[in-house]
Amino acid sequence: MTTSIAGLHHVTAIASDPQRNLDFYTNVLGLRFVKRTINFDDPGTYHFYFGDDTGTPGTILTFFPWPGARRGRPGAGEISATAFSIPAGSVEFWKARLRANGLTFTQHLRFNANVLAFQDPDGMSLELVEHTQMHAGTAPRYSDVPAEYAIQGFFGVTLLLHSLEHSAALLEVMGMKQIGQEGNRTRFAPEGEAFGRFLDIVVDARAPHAASGAGSVHHIAFRTPDDASQAAWRKILGPHANVTTVQDRTYFRSIYFREPGGVLYEIATDIPGFLIDEPVESLGEALRIPEWYEPRRRDIEAAVVPITLHKTAPEVTK
Ligand code: ZN
């Protein structure tokens, strides 16, 4: 049993218009649409998964796109930014690409790394961090972003909190160590190489409480290899947090708990993964629903809004 969380498994956020969400993450950021499924707790709505070519844990950004969802209000007790890694030397490419797509961004240095900060169409705060010691992913096959510039999974996330102490203590229980500080930003990371290793806590005691809505991160999930290691984490965390029972999410199994600052955490298994119900060539192309909803497939298909996946790769025309 490892005594440390390796890094993020996925980040789940709320969106409004499904087609706009799909177009932004595939056509602008060049991620692969890894899975088109439904919100298991609200089966008339989608759950979208974007990631690298095969949906490797640590590369997966997921959305609940609720048509017409109201925007959230940023504030304390939530993830204030979600950051992807981009390869060294790709900042100019990404600046040009963001501009070409009509996006405004800011550029700054943080812990000596280039950061481009911008928002998605729902106002979700995103960052691209130029990463020199990157854990490399597999570039999506359907993307016009050249593989050498492609997003390489998550860099990490930033939490905006009212105070540091208790949240930091829980991260220590999870094997994350404090590795740096810049102003009111404290950085935590586990040892080893993995996607999404970096967790920054920014403290602002006077920030208003966040209100969840479109553009808000719903929760972040850390990864664990299998059910046995997940059960061990459940035990370790038991004295420190109110941890749920195991939930079957088809592509992984999950436990959830709220950290002291208010952010919802999940620990998700790497298994069984996104190739369990469709071949790698056609990931995301058809609506996949869990077995227990199959008898309701026609109603579900009628309830979700139709979407079109545009595959923009040179590979498509081969
Ligand atoms: Zn999740």
Side-chain angles (χ1 to χ4, degrees):
M1 170 62 197
T2 171
T3 51
S4 172
I5 286 288
L8 294 172
H9 181 284
H10 63 267
V11 172
T12 293
I14 301 167
S16 55
D17 184 82
Q19 184 68 53
R20 192 175 62 170
N21 179 258
L22 175 63
D23 289 344
F24 182 80
Y25 285 95
T26 55
N27 299 349
V28 179
L29 294 192
L31 300 181
R32 185 151 190 213
F33 190 40
V34 170
K35 196 65 68 181
R36 174 193 311 216
T37 184
I38 51 169
N39 182 339
F40 295 177
D41 302 319
D42 185 6
T45 62
Y46 285 120
H47 193 177
F48 288 169
Y49 290 76
F50 302 95
D52 74 349
D53 195 53
T54 57
T56 306
T59 72
I60 306 157
L61 177 59
T62 100
F63 286 93
F64 297 129
W66 281 307
R70 264 194 218 169
R71 275 207 180 186
R73 192 190 62 229
E78 70 169 3
I79 301 296
S80 57
T82 300
F84 293 103
S85 291
I86 55 171
S90 66
V91 163
E92 293 308 317
F93 169 86
W94 280 103
K95 284 162 71 173
R97 189 171 173 94
L98 295 177
R99 266 190 217 111
N101 282 281
L103 294 165
T104 54
F105 57 87
T106 58
Q107 180 176 4
H108 50 276
L109 272 181
R110 182 189 298 153
F111 296 108
N112 294 316
N114 265 314
V115 178
L116 302 179
F118 55 101
Q119 296 186 339
D120 88 349
D122 286 300
M124 177 177 173
S125 291
L126 299 172
E127 294 173 342
L128 299 178
V129 182
E130 193 177 35
H131 199 335
T132 50
Q133 295 149 2
M134 207 173 38
H135 193 68
T138 319
R141 65 191 66 195
Y142 303 123
S143 166
D144 64 349
V145 175
E148 68 262 39
Y149 298 136
I151 282 174
Q152 304 285 316
F154 288 121
F155 178 83
V157 290
T158 299
L159 291 76
L160 177 62
L161 302 178
H162 281 149
S163 65
L164 179 66
E165 189 188 345
H166 298 294
S167 295
L170 185 63
L171 289 178
E172 302 245 338
V173 172
M174 297 165 67
M176 314 269 290
K177 302 257 183 297
Q178 189 175 323
I179 61 163
Q181 190 165 14
E182 230 180 57
N184 61 346
R185 178 181 294 270
T186 308
R187 175 160 290 178
F188 297 81
E191 290 191 4
E193 269 303 303
F195 294 117
R197 293 172 59 227
F198 300 102
L199 242 80
D200 290 1
I201 294 180
V202 168
V203 172
D204 180 354
R206 288 183 303 181
H209 282 282
S212 188
S216 304
V217 170
H218 185 270
H219 65 268
I220 60 171
F222 299 94
R223 62 190 287 198
T224 199
D226 51 27
D227 300 282
S229 59
Q230 185 181 61
W233 276 115
R234 196 160 179 275
K235 236 179 185 169
I236 292 168
L237 289 162
H240 307 278
N242 201 350
V243 188
T244 66
T245 54
V246 177
Q247 312 286 309
D248 183 2
R249 297 308 188 193
T250 302
Y251 310 105
F252 43 86
R253 286 174 285 278
S254 303
I255 55 175
Y256 302 84
F257 52 101
R258 212 169 276 282
E259 63 85 40
V263 177
L264 186 59
Y265 284 176
E266 170 184 348
I267 295 179
T269 56
D270 285 353
I271 54 164
F274 294 95
L275 305 180
I276 186 182
D277 61 356
E278 57 187 339
V280 66
E281 296 77 26
S282 57
L283 284 175
E285 292 179 19
L287 182 69
R288 315 304 308 193
I289 61 180
E291 234 167 73
W292 64 88
Y293 278 132
E294 278 296 345
R296 291 171 60 188
R297 177 177 272 275
R298 286 179 62 152
D299 292 341
I300 289 169
E301 283 177 344
V304 293
V305 278
I307 50 165
T308 308
L309 173 63
H310 302 283
K311 299 190 287 188
T312 54
E315 282 87 338
V316 172
T317 56
K318 259 183 201 164

